[in-house]
Amino acid sequence: VHSSVANHYVLDSNSKELVNLDGETLRFALDLRVGLAENWDLQLEVPWLDHSGGELDSLIDDWHDLWGMSDGGRDKVPRDLLDYRYATENGEVRLVDDASGIGDVSLSLSHAFYNEDGSTATAFVGYKFGTGDEQDFTGSGADDFFLGIRLSGEHLADLPLSWHGQFGYLRGGESDLVEDFQEKNLWFAGIAMDWRMTQNLSAILQLDSHEGPLDSDLTATGDEAFLITVGGRYRFTEYWSADFSVVEDIRVESAPDVTFQISIRFQPGV
């Protein structure tokens, strides 16, 4: 089970387009993975999303003030407001009322084709179904196809350090809301480190990036996103663990200002 809350604030425009992202998105996801055969896994993710004005604006404003950081114009708008909007000369898409519901369900198949000396290489392919409501911004309104490679290894440089990386491609389906300026061929990538500090506790550092989803000259909608995740993992038992992490946008305005994440995992036989 994975949960996250992302706080957004972006206001940017040029002569042809405007993006305003002011709000908070809460996301819960049930992630089920089963082994079909040796080195073959099937994974199902069922997400639920809630968009609202949220309650974190004051906390983030205080954090910026404490360290003398720029608030990006947050002080010029009311706190805890929901206003997600993207406008061009051809029209606009907008969400100003609270909305929630099931998101886009995804199903993927993975195969570990290499597993030797603590290193693993896995190929995966998947399909995301357009089960969410695009008018409520809980889904893209289209089916997507994705594939990629995941790599992992243990005890890097004889340290209690494991690493994981992935690179993939996503072919986006046609969304009615943004079909005139949608980018359909998208890449994504990430790398993570897990430092085993004690038998039960690990520190986690992760870097992620993905291509901008729209043919846009604005950072929030057209540029590649770069994010950093810092957190920890606590193993309660051999099979149960919990992750706690914070995600920040390295490239400002290319992702939510801050995202808080909590995950509970049950992995029998690990």
Side-chain angles (χ1 to χ4, degrees):
V1 179
H2 177 75
S3 63
S4 66
V5 55
N7 187 276
H8 311 259
Y9 184 75
V10 175
L11 177 58
D12 196 9
S13 64
N14 57 31
S15 60
K16 295 182 179 180
E17 52 186 336
L18 176 145
V19 61
N20 184 77
L21 299 175
D22 186 3
E24 211 162 274
T25 298
L26 178 66
R27 186 180 191 269
F28 291 97
L30 178 63
D31 195 338
L32 301 175
R33 179 179 295 179
V34 296
L36 299 178
E38 185 177 3
N39 297 324
W40 288 90
D41 287 342
L42 186 68
Q43 183 174 352
L44 173 70
E45 185 191 54
V46 182
W48 179 88
L49 293 91
D50 177 79
H51 299 298
S52 69
E55 300 178 354
L56 295 178
D57 282 355
S58 59
L59 175 65
I60 295 173
D61 288 344
D62 292 343
W63 176 261
H64 288 157
D65 292 341
L66 176 65
W67 298 102
M69 302 164 61
S70 170
D71 64 5
R74 281 177 172 270
D75 59 340
K76 297 180 176 61
V77 298
R79 287 178 173 175
D80 303 330
L81 176 72
L82 175 62
D83 187 1
Y84 292 160
R85 179 169 27 129
Y86 179 68
T88 70
E89 53 194 3
N90 296 323
E92 73 171 13
V93 293
R94 191 174 189 181
L95 181 70
V96 294
D97 297 321
D98 292 2
S100 62
I102 295 294
D104 289 346
V105 174
S106 64
L107 185 67
S108 62
L109 178 69
S110 61
H111 173 56
F113 60 88
Y114 177 85
N115 193 343
E116 189 173 337
D117 298 328
S119 297
T120 304
T122 302
F124 63 91
V125 61
Y127 198 84
K128 182 186 72 64
F129 301 90
T131 50
D133 188 333
E134 61 181 330
Q135 300 296 331
D136 286 341
F137 287 26
T138 57
S140 67
D143 296 352
D144 300 338
F145 167 81
F146 58 91
L147 55 83
I149 297 290
R150 296 191 183 103
L151 305 171
S152 62
E154 297 180 352
H155 305 301
L156 188 64
D158 295 324
L159 297 172
L161 186 69
S162 59
W163 61 272
H164 312 274
Q166 70 169 354
F167 182 83
Y169 163 79
L170 182 145
R171 172 65 181 182
E174 189 168 296
S175 171
D176 292 338
L177 287 181
V178 293
E179 60 181 336
D180 293 334
F181 29 84
Q182 178 186 7
E183 293 284 5
K184 295 183 180 179
N185 298 299
L186 307 171
W187 59 264
F188 58 91
I191 187 168
M193 297 288 183
D194 182 324
W195 183 287
R196 195 76 174 254
M197 301 170 64
T198 69
Q199 182 177 356
N200 296 328
L201 183 64
S202 294
I204 297 172
L205 176 67
Q206 183 170 325
L207 299 173
D208 290 288
S209 181
H210 60 80
E211 191 167 358
L214 302 182
D215 181 13
S216 168
D217 293 328
L218 302 179
T219 299
T221 48
D223 287 356
E224 296 85 359
F226 293 94
L227 305 93
I228 184 170
T229 302
V230 179
R233 174 173 297 143
Y234 186 79
R235 298 167 181 84
F236 300 102
T237 69
E238 183 180 2
Y239 303 140
W240 287 93
S241 65
D243 290 3
F244 309 88
S245 59
V246 179
V247 186
E248 285 278 355
D249 51 338
I250 300 176
R251 172 176 279 176
V252 177
E253 296 187 351
S254 67
D257 275 358
V258 62
T259 302
F260 300 98
Q261 299 183 134
I262 299 177
S263 299
I264 304 294
R265 289 186 173 90
F266 175 66
Q267 295 174 288
V270 175

